[in-house]
Amino acid sequence: MTDAISSILSQIRAHEARTREGLGSAIDVGGLGNVGKPGGTGETAPANGAGFGQLLSRAIDNVSQTQANAGALQTAFELGDPRADLARTMVAMQQAQVAFRATVEVRNRLVQAYQDVMNMPV
């Protein structure tokens, strides 16, 4: 299960890096940047003093912004705006869909982890 979560997190980071285009590196979600590295435990301080909740909130805001941008491009294309070509519109829509699916998958993993912890015998 750890490999699957790491894989999803790396996909989210790659997607975020592509969507930011030159705004710097992707956010290290929850400080997990050291997982899998020699001597890394994943217990690093979150970037810029931000907690897990703030990072999660930013990630959700980024997904929402990606969906809004895709919707705006779709509307512009439907209205015949020459700056909104079909290829760009379709790519934006696919990015929004992938971002949403990744967010849902992370949510499902968090809920499953919470349920696992709650079902542990004390």
Side-chain angles (χ1 to χ4, degrees):
M1 185 160 115
T2 303
D3 292 336
I5 291 172
S6 296
S7 172
I8 290 171
L9 286 174
S10 67
Q11 291 173 5
I12 290 171
R13 286 186 196 114
H15 174 71
E16 186 173 358
R18 283 191 304 268
T19 58
R20 287 185 180 235
E21 292 183 23
L23 293 178
S25 62
I27 296 172
D28 183 15
V29 178
L32 296 176
N34 287 338
V35 174
K37 294 180 182 175
T41 61
E43 297 178 9
T44 61
N48 298 329
F52 179 75
Q54 290 173 335
L55 291 174
L56 191 59
S57 177
R58 275 193 240 152
I60 291 171
D61 289 342
N62 286 341
V63 171
S64 177
Q65 183 180 13
T66 303
Q67 289 178 328
N69 291 341
L73 267 175
Q74 181 181 6
T75 302
F77 178 77
E78 289 171 353
L79 294 175
D81 187 351
R83 293 172 291 173
D85 61 343
L86 179 61
R88 227 175 76 194
T89 303
M90 294 302 294
V91 168
M93 291 174 64
Q94 288 297 323
Q95 285 178 339
Q97 182 181 18
V98 168
F100 180 74
R101 286 184 179 181
T103 303
V104 169
E105 189 63 32
V106 169
R107 184 221 40 188
N108 291 344
R109 299 291 178 149
L110 287 172
V111 168
Q112 182 63 43
Y114 174 78
Q115 290 174 346
D116 290 346
V117 168
M118 293 306 293
N119 290 331
M120 286 182 182
V122 178

